[in-house]
Amino acid sequence: MNDLVTNIRMLSVDMIAKANSGHPGLPLGAAPAATALFANHLKVNPVNPNWMNRDRFILSAGHGSALLYSLLYCFGYPLTKKDLQNFRQLDSKTPGHPEIEMTEGVDISSGPLGQGIASAVGMAMAEAHLASEYNRDKFSIIDHYTYCLVGDGCLMEGISSEAMSVAGNLKLNKLIVLYDSNDITLDGNLDYSSKDDVEKRCEAYHWDYILVEDGNNLDKISEAISSAKKTEKPVLIEIKSVIGFGSLEAGTSKVHGNPIVGDDLKNLKEFYNWTLEDFELSNSVKNFQKEYLKRGQTFETSWLDSVASYQEKYPEMYRQLMKDFSGNYFDEVKNMANPFGGQNKLSTREASGIVLNQLAEKLPLFGGSADLASSNKTYLNGKGDFSDKSYQGSNIWFGIREFFMGAAMNGISLHGGLISFGATFFVFSDYLKSAIRSAALMKLPVIYVMTHDSVAVGEDGPTHQPIEQLAGFRATPNLRVFRPADANETFSVYQYILEKPEMPSMVVLSRQDLPNVTPLNSPIKNGAYILKDSSRKPDLILVATGSEVSLALEIESKMPSKSIRVVSMPSQEIFSQQSDEYKESVLPRDILSFSIECGSTYGWHEYVDYCFGIDSFGKSAPATELVDDYRFTSDALVEDIYKILKGLPK
């Protein structure tokens, strides 16, 4: 086993040296901990890295990616020597931080410190929920652990506190965190910035804590993991290691992110008495790998045998489980009926709540709100609460922890078998922005429900009134942002999202009631469409989103002398992806156009000639006074449009 640890260490430093880029400190220090986990505890099948019931492993300290790639290579995952040699190179399977789309065996794209442990909690939540839903009698169809390797940086990020608080409250006893505790950060000694008592912190968060004082003692590390499996709480195992162990700069910040090359690398290999060529595996490791692959196949084969018996006894549950893990809900969603046929006026947040409950009757929704479910309208009636008393409930109480909520949603989605959603006020989306970005990077089909979408929030004032958020999220690649005009569009948006679960989606909703002005099955698939047209070529076009769509229709009715087209644009991004022909048919370039949206005008100039919006922070006042103050009434906008028209050359 020691030979395996050394081989993993040497592969890691070889990768970093060849790239002349990377972080050798963590691989050299944490290799024994990771090896003990992989070799003695991890239930996986490297031949089928995505096996449904495998244990999950999250390298939260993603800068130590060389360690993960070395582990995958040594344990028989589909990585080659050439892949290791291409570490951190263009389009390689071994990027600088782990990416699920690039490397088989990677369970999450980890990079931003702290998100890994929070997503691990989400994965453990998903495992607990699905196990309670599907396991029966002697059939433990869903039965696996979630392991996470963290460093000091992960535990200093505030999201780790949010995550540990939730995990402890839920008693997620199949969550085990290995803490590579080396007392060093990139800039220097840990005690310059943190003197936390980790054991007391675990106690406060209702976690069990185990200390391994020698990070090179494989037996002690393995014993600690075995003990962690016997508790009724999540467990953090603090493993005292030496960063860059064996290098000339061991135990200092200098080895954190600086490649070990030249004579320093030669000295390191002499320290380990390592004589093999770069990127080579020892014979003992090759033999171990063969046995490990057999063990992995045995794990999955045994599970498949159990599943076959389960299928015979519980055929409908088996069918549903396989359906949920397929992630394909097209048929169920396509045939849904719009419940708003006779609805005249409704806030889009209320419409969203109705649709979510409609979906929950057919689909495995699992989510909640950052302590705003009653306001976001996200509670799933009759579906129970997910708690330490019952993991079967579908409503998650995230608490006032927006960032954790976002990262946990990612973990839930990555686990598979569930549709992950989370909600808060739109202005507080800033708190979970980094997790949203991670979801977009991984193209996870999570759903963000964002309510209170404009200054119409009113008296709560500028701290609660979103201005720049729409523009910011619209600029995020792989994120679909929808601002539906009414209940009908809200229904159509959810239908579209679940028919095409290709990436994260954000649904931005109103608090105030809005008239139902769009078609029963709104044609939102192209991002924008002509809602009302004139009998002749338009003199001008009004483009609006959300609550401003009905406002645009009011404006059109008050300008009878003009031929006006009204366009609803629930999604800028989807509209931008359409053909030039379609875009020209909706927004001809030779016709004067105006956008109307109660937020930043940034980005609108790509579509229209003139923008009506709000490019300053809001004010505290009743909503009716605010829309007057910002001239977001039909009378004021008609006046402003005529002023622009009057000033144009004849």
Side-chain angles (χ1 to χ4, degrees):
M1 189 69 75
N2 287 325
D3 189 45
L4 176 58
V5 174
T6 303
N7 213 155
I8 287 168
R9 281 168 159 157
M10 293 304 100
L11 287 172
S12 298
V13 294
D14 286 344
M15 293 164 63
I16 295 165
K18 187 175 187 305
N20 197 29
S21 174
H23 299 75
L26 184 144
L28 287 170
T35 303
L37 172 64
F38 269 66
N40 301 326
H41 300 279
L42 209 60
K43 184 176 66 177
V44 293
N45 181 10
V47 176
N48 182 12
N50 296 318
W51 168 38
M52 182 192 299
N53 198 43
R54 72 190 184 280
D55 288 339
R56 271 59 169 180
F57 175 71
I58 297 94
L59 179 66
S60 185
H63 58 276
S65 59
L67 171 62
L68 180 54
Y69 304 141
S70 299
L71 288 162
L72 296 177
Y73 183 60
C74 287
F75 284 91
Y77 285 80
L79 274 182
T80 66
K81 181 193 294 188
K82 186 176 180 181
D83 291 327
L84 300 191
Q85 291 170 335
N86 284 332
F87 178 58
R88 288 187 164 227
Q89 304 310 300
L90 182 65
D91 295 329
S92 78
K93 291 184 179 180
T94 50
H97 288 77
E99 298 179 35
I100 58 168
E101 289 188 329
M102 303 300 294
T103 318
E104 289 188 274
V106 169
D107 282 327
I108 186 172
S109 299
S110 55
L113 293 180
Q115 283 194 51
I117 185 174
S119 293
V121 174
M123 289 184 188
M125 292 165 69
E127 191 276 341
H129 178 66
L130 288 168
S132 67
E133 190 80 11
Y134 287 103
N135 290 352
R136 291 292 184 276
D137 301 330
K138 297 179 181 179
F139 295 104
S140 295
I141 302 303
I142 304 296
D143 180 20
H144 53 262
Y145 282 87
T146 302
Y147 297 97
C148 183
L149 177 62
V150 304
D152 291 303
C154 298
L155 294 185
M156 280 197 284
E157 288 286 357
I159 190 174
S160 69
S161 295
E162 297 180 22
M164 291 179 71
S165 177
V166 172
N169 189 49
L170 291 171
K171 298 180 181 177
L172 297 173
N173 66 331
K174 298 182 82 171
L175 172 65
I176 298 174
V177 174
L178 307 182
Y179 168 29
D180 177 39
S181 177
N182 58 39
D183 297 321
I184 295 294
T185 64
L186 188 146
D187 276 347
N189 293 345
L190 176 65
D191 62 9
Y192 293 161
S193 56
S194 178
K195 295 184 176 68
D196 290 354
D197 187 319
V198 178
E199 183 176 5
K200 289 182 179 177
R201 185 179 176 187
C202 287
E203 180 184 355
Y205 288 134
H206 306 290
W207 283 52
D208 280 335
Y209 168 87
I210 301 172
L211 174 65
V212 177
E213 294 184 351
D214 181 0
N216 286 307
N217 191 323
L218 292 166
D219 291 338
K220 292 293 184 183
I221 295 168
S222 192
E223 288 172 12
I225 297 171
S226 294
S227 297
K229 293 178 181 178
K230 299 173 184 176
T231 76
E232 296 303 316
K233 300 177 183 179
V235 180
L236 184 142
I237 304 171
E238 182 174 8
I239 302 168
K240 299 302 294 184
S241 66
V242 177
I243 190 172
F245 183 74
S247 68
L248 296 177
E249 301 290 353
T252 73
S253 62
K254 293 179 181 179
V255 76
H256 182 282
N258 296 314
I260 300 171
V261 296
D263 289 340
D264 290 348
L265 182 57
K266 181 180 177 182
N267 290 332
L268 176 69
K269 294 195 174 186
E270 287 176 357
F271 175 86
Y272 285 104
N273 194 27
W274 192 255
T275 58
L276 292 184
E277 295 294 320
D278 295 352
F279 298 101
E280 288 298 315
L281 294 180
S282 71
N283 288 330
S284 66
V285 171
K286 290 176 183 177
N287 291 331
F288 174 86
Q289 184 184 96
K290 292 175 184 176
E291 294 303 313
Y292 194 80
L293 290 173
K294 290 179 184 177
R295 190 175 83 181
Q297 292 279 34
T298 301
F299 280 143
E300 185 173 3
T301 300
S302 175
W303 180 78
L304 287 171
D305 290 343
S306 180
V307 168
S309 299
Y310 180 88
Q311 182 180 4
E312 287 183 13
K313 190 167 184 179
Y314 304 105
E316 182 54 32
M317 289 179 63
Y318 169 82
R319 187 201 67 78
Q320 189 61 52
L321 177 63
M322 294 302 116
K323 176 73 174 176
D324 291 346
F325 267 89
S326 77
N328 183 354
Y329 309 110
F330 184 88
D331 291 338
E332 292 91 333
V333 176
K334 188 69 176 177
N335 296 323
M336 285 175 55
N338 184 333
F340 304 117
Q343 194 75 46
N344 292 322
K345 204 168 189 182
L346 193 68
S347 69
T348 51
R349 66 169 174 168
E350 289 179 282
S352 168
I354 292 168
V355 177
L356 284 173
N357 273 277
Q358 182 183 13
L359 291 167
E361 294 303 313
K362 294 184 176 183
L363 306 179
L365 266 64
F366 187 51
S369 171
D371 201 54
L372 290 167
S374 58
S375 192
N376 298 144
K377 309 299 181 186
T378 49
Y379 195 80
L380 305 179
N381 299 318
K383 293 298 179 179
D385 297 328
F386 181 74
S387 73
D388 63 317
K389 305 294 189 299
S390 171
Y391 291 143
Q392 202 162 1
S394 298
N395 291 288
I396 301 172
W397 291 66
F398 286 112
I400 307 163
R401 303 181 183 97
E402 290 89 353
F403 193 5
F404 164 75
M405 177 177 71
M409 288 166 62
N410 293 345
I412 293 165
S413 183
L414 285 164
H415 180 278
L418 296 164
I419 298 171
S420 175
F421 72 95
T424 187
F425 288 174
F426 188 34
V427 75
F428 300 141
S429 59
D430 293 342
Y431 277 130
L432 56 109
K433 172 64 172 67
S434 184
I436 294 174
R437 187 176 190 273
S438 293
L441 276 165
M442 294 183 275
K443 297 182 180 178
L444 301 180
V446 297
I447 302 172
Y448 307 101
V449 181
M450 300 292 170
T451 69
H452 297 60
D453 64 341
S454 73
V455 295
V457 172
E459 292 89 340
D460 281 335
T463 61
H464 282 54
Q465 296 166 358
I467 297 295
E468 76 283 7
Q469 280 74 17
L470 275 166
F473 284 114
R474 284 169 176 160
T476 304
N478 301 337
L479 175 67
R480 299 181 298 205
V481 181
F482 298 91
R483 190 170 181 239
D486 59 8
N488 285 340
E489 272 196 4
T490 302
F491 170 81
S492 296
V493 162
Y494 276 113
Q495 195 173 42
Y496 179 91
I497 287 171
L498 290 164
E499 286 177 2
K500 299 177 181 295
E502 301 158 354
M503 62 186 71
S505 297
M506 181 178 289
V507 189
V508 184
L509 304 162
S510 74
R511 181 181 71 168
Q512 71 274 26
D513 287 347
L514 301 174
N516 224 11
V517 295
T518 67
L520 195 61
N521 292 299
S522 303
I524 59 100
K525 66 178 182 179
N526 295 317
Y529 62 94
I530 299 169
L531 178 59
K532 187 173 184 180
D533 212 358
S534 56
S535 57
R536 56 184 174 83
K537 182 178 180 179
D539 297 317
L540 57 95
I541 302 173
L542 303 179
V543 186
T545 75
S547 52
E548 286 75 70
V549 172
S550 55
L551 179 61
L553 290 170
E554 282 185 44
I555 293 168
E556 185 272 340
S557 69
K558 292 181 177 182
M559 297 179 68
S561 64
K562 296 293 181 182
S563 175
I564 297 176
R565 171 182 293 179
V566 177
V567 171
S568 176
M569 189 182 283
S571 174
Q572 281 188 0
E573 308 86 78
I574 295 176
F575 180 69
S576 294
Q577 294 164 5
Q578 304 309 305
S579 66
D580 290 340
E581 290 77 13
Y582 180 78
K583 287 187 280 190
E584 180 69 14
S585 71
V586 176
L587 293 176
R589 283 167 288 186
D590 63 342
I591 298 177
L592 196 66
S593 55
F594 300 81
S595 67
I596 306 171
E597 186 172 68
C598 209
S600 170
T601 60
Y602 190 86
W604 272 110
H605 292 284
E606 178 181 345
Y607 307 100
V608 298
D609 299 302
Y610 294 92
C611 305
F612 293 112
I614 300 174
D615 290 315
S616 62
F617 289 123
K619 302 175 182 178
S620 179
T624 52
E625 295 181 23
L626 282 175
V627 294
D628 281 339
D629 189 65
Y630 284 108
R631 296 186 64 77
F632 259 83
T633 64
S634 56
D635 289 339
L637 287 167
V638 166
E639 183 180 328
D640 290 341
I641 290 170
Y642 274 125
K643 283 181 181 177
I644 291 171
L645 295 176
K646 186 178 180 181
L648 294 176
K650 302 293 185 185

